Every structure is written in structure tokens, then in C-alpha cells.
Amino acid sequence: MSREELLALPAAVDLETANRALGLGRSKGYALAKRGEYPCRVLRLGNAYRVVTAELQALLGLVA
């Protein structure tokens, strides 16, 4: 994903989008989230995972 795409993301994104931003495959990303080892905070909403965009951007060094 480009810097512009990352900065334009909504407040929270699905795990697929976060995986793409971090260069993780689908299986690896879901396995990390399930074990609580994802590199940034993951919210579990029913059966869905959401990643807080601000933390994703901070992890990638896009915000100060």
C-alpha cells in the first residue's frame, strides 16, 4: 500500500487491509490475531477483527 492509501484509511480497518499494509499473508495475519500476537491492537467484534488505523500507522512510522 502506498503512503497516501495508508493515510486515507478510516479509523479502523479489517484484518485483510491491515495484513496487506504490513505485508502479511491472510493465514499468518489471522493466526497472529487469534493468538493475541498481532503487531498492533486488534479489536474482536463478533466474528470480525478490526485494527485501529492510528496504531497501524504508528507501527509503520507514518505519524509522529
Side-chain angles (χ1 to χ4, degrees):
M1 294 182 83
S2 71
R3 178 180 171 84
E4 291 75 27
E5 288 174 315
L6 288 166
L7 292 173
L9 292 173
V13 295
D14 61 5
L15 200 58
E16 295 283 334
T17 302
N19 288 343
R20 197 168 73 239
L22 294 171
L24 296 173
R26 176 182 166 87
S27 297
K28 181 67 171 181
Y30 276 93
L32 290 171
K34 188 174 183 177
R35 290 193 311 256
E37 297 175 1
Y38 205 77
C40 53
R41 186 166 41 138
V42 175
L43 307 173
R44 180 77 189 250
L45 305 171
N47 290 333
Y49 291 104
R50 295 286 182 254
V51 175
V52 178
T53 301
E55 292 186 19
L56 178 62
Q57 291 170 339
L59 179 67
L60 295 170
L62 296 176
V63 292

